[in-house]
Amino acid sequence: SQQGEEDPQALSIQEGENATMNCSYKTSINNLQWYRQNSGRGLVHLILIRSNEREKHSGRLRVTLDTSKKSSSLLITASRAADTASYFCATDESNDYKLSFGAGTTVTVRA
Amino acid sequence: NAGVMQNPRHLVRRRGQEARLRCSPMKGHSHVYWYRQLPEEGLKFMVYLQKENIIDESGMPKERFSAEFPKEGPSILRIQQVVRGDSAAYFCASSPIAWGNTGELFFGEGSRLTVL
């Protein structure tokens, strides 16, 4: 069964707006990662947040982690057309390589 | 600095044929992971290999699927007697050292298998 579940499944926003997507998971984790996948391409690592961290920033990305609620959010500020992609959260439960991916949030940024 | 290279990018096979997918990890990476992505789903772990060793194949179907990472050459994921349900994108990822230190996997662009 999937560990991470992203919400919403799809998101359409205007360029310049912020995009927020959430990830919920079931079991305790060591870290949570967000990846981006452009259509027909591979996954690109965006950011990793460890279980003892609450918030992390990387450029226009902001990730939060609430281990008590078993959830994480990814915020993309000032979105651009190039941000159009699917975004996946992946959890690492046992500090090994078996990342558990959700089904992703498809983000469309309209020019 | 070349990334993870996968080929072929697209592969079409008829039911019963064999599919061979290749993956060359990033330079300096000795750990290879294969994941499968079914349509509209997230990636699912299949197998983790180091040179000449299968470390964990718990995510790989017991029959028809095999993987190797020889001393020389790319890692190969082999699917024998393919069925329509094998149609998916197969992603290879690599990491420079054993998992747990950086947490990041570097993914290739995937091999999309279509079984007719």
Side-chain angles (χ1 to χ4, degrees):
Chain A
S1 61
Q2 279 174 188
Q3 162 76 318
E5 297 281 347
E6 290 93 343
D7 169 60
Q9 286 187 318
L11 184 60
S12 180
I13 56 173
Q14 201 73 32
E15 206 166 22
E17 293 180 337
N18 295 342
T20 301
M21 60 211 86
N22 304 295
C23 170
S24 59
Y25 55 92
K26 299 185 179 72
T27 63
S28 60
I29 59 172
N30 291 299
N31 65 63
L32 184 146
Q33 307 180 40
W34 286 90
Y35 284 82
R36 184 187 72 225
Q37 184 181 34
N38 290 84
S39 180
R41 307 296 292 274
L43 276 75
V44 174
H45 182 264
L46 295 177
I47 198 164
L48 179 151
I49 186 164
R50 299 197 185 280
S51 59
N52 61 352
E53 297 176 311
R54 291 297 165 259
E55 188 171 311
K56 207 161 183 181
H57 297 255
S58 176
R60 294 184 295 112
L61 304 179
R62 173 177 166 253
V63 169
T64 64
L65 179 64
D66 187 336
T67 53
S68 66
K69 294 181 180 176
K70 291 188 170 57
S71 68
S72 172
S73 69
L74 171 66
L75 167 69
I76 306 172
T77 60
S79 63
R80 306 167 181 167
D83 295 328
T84 295
S86 292
Y87 292 82
F88 295 88
C89 69
T91 53
D92 167 24
E93 299 159 39
S94 43
N95 205 32
D96 65 13
Y97 35 83
K98 296 180 197 172
L99 293 182
S100 296
F101 285 84
T105 293
T106 300
V107 174
T108 303
V109 181
R110 305 185 304 273
Chain B
N1 187 15
V4 177
M5 304 299 292
Q6 289 189 248
N7 70 83
R9 292 290 310 280
H10 300 274
L11 183 63
V12 179
R13 284 287 178 267
R14 298 193 181 279
R15 281 178 295 169
Q17 292 184 319
E18 179 179 289
R20 281 193 182 219
L21 311 177
R22 296 174 194 78
C23 169
S24 296
M26 281 184 72
K27 188 176 180 180
H29 288 195
S30 58
H31 301 257
V32 166
Y33 316 82
W34 285 94
Y35 282 77
R36 176 166 65 175
Q37 184 180 34
L38 295 170
E40 309 302 323
E41 292 188 16
L43 277 70
K44 299 286 193 295
F45 167 80
M46 296 182 74
V47 61
Y48 163 38
L49 309 104
Q50 295 176 23
K51 285 283 186 183
E52 300 183 280
N53 279 308
I54 296 175
I55 308 302
D56 184 342
E57 56 183 348
S58 60
M60 202 153 67
K62 295 287 185 286
E63 296 177 354
R64 302 187 298 107
F65 285 72
S66 62
E68 63 176 8
F69 189 15
K71 189 177 179 181
E72 302 289 340
S75 174
I76 298 194
L77 179 67
R78 182 180 175 208
I79 312 172
Q80 295 177 288
Q81 298 170 3
V82 296
V83 301
R84 289 222 172 99
D86 297 332
S87 295
Y90 292 83
F91 288 94
C92 172
S94 70
S95 66
I97 49 179
W99 181 267
N101 289 339
T102 68
E104 179 181 353
L105 292 182
F106 296 82
F107 281 87
E109 303 236 314
S111 291
R112 281 152 184 83
L113 172 66
T114 302
V115 180
L116 301 178

